[in-house]
Amino acid sequence: MEINSFKDMFVAELQELADVEAQLADALLRLAGAASHPALKRALVHHRAETVTQRERLLTILDKHGANPTAHIDQAMRALVTETKKMLTMLKADDLRDAGLIASAQKIEHYEIAAYGTAAALAGQLDLRDEQKMLHLSLEEEKRFDLLLTRLAKNEVNPDALAA
Ligand SMILES: [Fe+2]
């Protein structure tokens, strides 16, 4: 497929993001199931709900542009999720698994932060202010979740894994 306009590039980025969120909604269920620290489990469940909302925002925008929301499979996300699963099977102890789980989740979050940052900027340059706002909302949620994971890792999960 050829992309010949800035607007079509924007739409293609959103189609990728819609698949990223679909993959992540599945993955977060699995991660929450594998987590032991109650605060980490809660954070993952909470972000799973945000992920569903974020995907709905993307579907709303794609619908406005008459674009197919399942046109793309995001291979980078697929690889990140595969690596996450592999890592989890290698970590047998609960505290260690939680620490590895956060490491994997943060790689995914940083990928999403990059993607939403770009998508929101593209929307702004296209003067699509409502869409820019929606994408910015999702961007802020990703950043908050990432910060929460950093806090959990530093204050609770990693010290426990080190001490075990
Ligand atoms: Fe997300």
Side-chain angles (χ1 to χ4, degrees), residues 32-48:
S36 302
H37 274 76
L40 176 58
K41 204 182 261 287
R42 263 199 311 278
L44 291 164
V45 169
H46 176 73
H47 191 60
R48 205 258 172 183

Side-chain angles (χ1 to χ4, degrees), residues 17 20-21 24 28 47 50-51 54-55 109 112 116 138 141-142:
L17 257 171
V20 165
E21 298 295 14
L24 187 56
L28 280 169
H47 191 60
E50 283 181 334
T51 296
Q54 290 172 351
R55 181 167 151 79
E109 282 309 305
E112 287 198 286
Y116 275 113
S138 296
E141 287 168 358
E142 307 294 14

Side-chain angles (χ1 to χ4, degrees), residues 11-157:
V11 168
E13 294 288 346
L14 298 183
Q15 285 171 318
E16 280 187 3
L17 257 171
D19 182 60
V20 165
E21 298 295 14
Q23 290 190 51
L24 187 56
D26 280 352
L28 280 169
L29 273 186
R30 220 166 321 140
L31 294 185
S36 302
H37 274 76
L40 176 58
K41 204 182 261 287
R42 263 199 311 278
L44 291 164
V45 169
H46 176 73
H47 191 60
R48 205 258 172 183
E50 283 181 334
T51 296
V52 171
T53 305
Q54 290 172 351
R55 181 167 151 79
E56 271 157 20
R57 285 186 195 122
L58 291 163
L59 298 189
T60 301
I61 299 174
L62 285 169
D63 189 55
K64 261 202 237 167
H65 294 284
N68 177 1
T70 56
H72 287 285
I73 300 291
D74 192 279
Q75 299 297 342
M77 185 65 180
R78 205 170 250 198
L80 285 167
V81 170
T82 302
E83 289 301 319
T84 301
K85 282 191 213 159
K86 196 169 75 190
M87 197 60 164
L88 288 184
T89 63
M90 290 162 66
L91 298 167
K92 305 292 182 199
D94 285 353
D95 289 326
L96 215 49
R97 195 183 317 108
D98 280 358
L101 198 157
I102 292 178
S104 296
Q106 286 197 286
K107 286 183 214 170
I108 292 173
E109 282 309 305
H110 288 209
Y111 180 53
E112 287 198 286
I113 288 167
Y116 275 113
T118 297
L122 296 181
Q125 276 147 355
L126 286 161
D127 215 19
L128 299 166
R129 296 298 161 193
D130 288 348
E131 300 180 20
Q132 184 185 22
K133 260 184 227 151
M134 288 164 80
L135 293 165
H136 201 256
L137 219 56
S138 296
L139 175 63
E140 290 304 312
E141 287 168 358
E142 307 294 14
K143 286 184 180 170
R144 267 200 301 277
F145 180 52
D146 180 54
L147 274 177
L148 177 58
L149 290 174
T150 297
R151 249 197 338 255
L152 284 171
K154 280 192 182 159
N155 300 338
E156 296 183 48
V157 176

